Amino acid sequence: ISIISYYKMLDLLYTHPNFTKQGLAQNLLDFALKNYIHKEIYTFASLNAKDFFLKNNFKIVRENEVKRNDQILKNFLMKKEI
């Protein structure tokens, strides 16, 4: 997990695919936010991660399309009030 406090950004939150649906990402997010000093936090969530963040009271600010290696990838800028 990586939080960039200056930008109020949750940058990385990953678990290995073999350990999905076991609460590990939830525990990481809870731990990260426990001592978080700002009143809001943002993240760029992938299509796969969007539902996880919605369940954790993040709201979609906007949908983005990013071009990587000639592929268009969709992600979502999301925000949570703390």
Side-chain angles (χ1 to χ4, degrees):
I1 191 163
S2 172
I3 292 182
I4 304 170
S5 184
Y6 178 80
Y7 295 108
K8 301 178 185 176
M9 182 68 64
L10 173 61
D11 187 36
L12 300 170
L13 176 62
Y14 292 100
T15 58
H16 190 279
N18 291 349
F19 298 99
T20 59
K21 307 292 184 192
Q22 295 182 24
L24 298 174
Q26 186 66 57
N27 289 342
L28 286 170
L29 180 61
D30 293 344
F31 177 80
L33 295 178
K34 190 175 184 178
N35 295 308
Y36 185 69
I37 62 172
H38 301 291
K39 300 207 183 293
E40 59 191 17
I41 190 166
Y42 296 86
T43 193
F44 284 101
S46 68
L47 193 56
N48 290 338
K50 180 181 77 164
D51 288 341
F52 169 79
F53 287 107
L54 287 172
K55 288 177 188 173
N56 281 280
N57 300 314
F58 281 75
K59 305 293 182 210
I60 297 173
V61 175
R62 73 172 179 263
E63 186 175 317
N64 300 301
E65 287 187 350
V66 179
K67 188 173 183 179
R68 297 275 189 257
N69 299 328
D70 294 326
Q71 279 191 315
I72 302 294
L73 304 174
K74 191 180 290 190
N75 70 14
F76 302 86
L77 174 62
M78 301 182 81
K79 174 183 177 182
K80 177 182 174 80
E81 301 285 338
I82 300 172

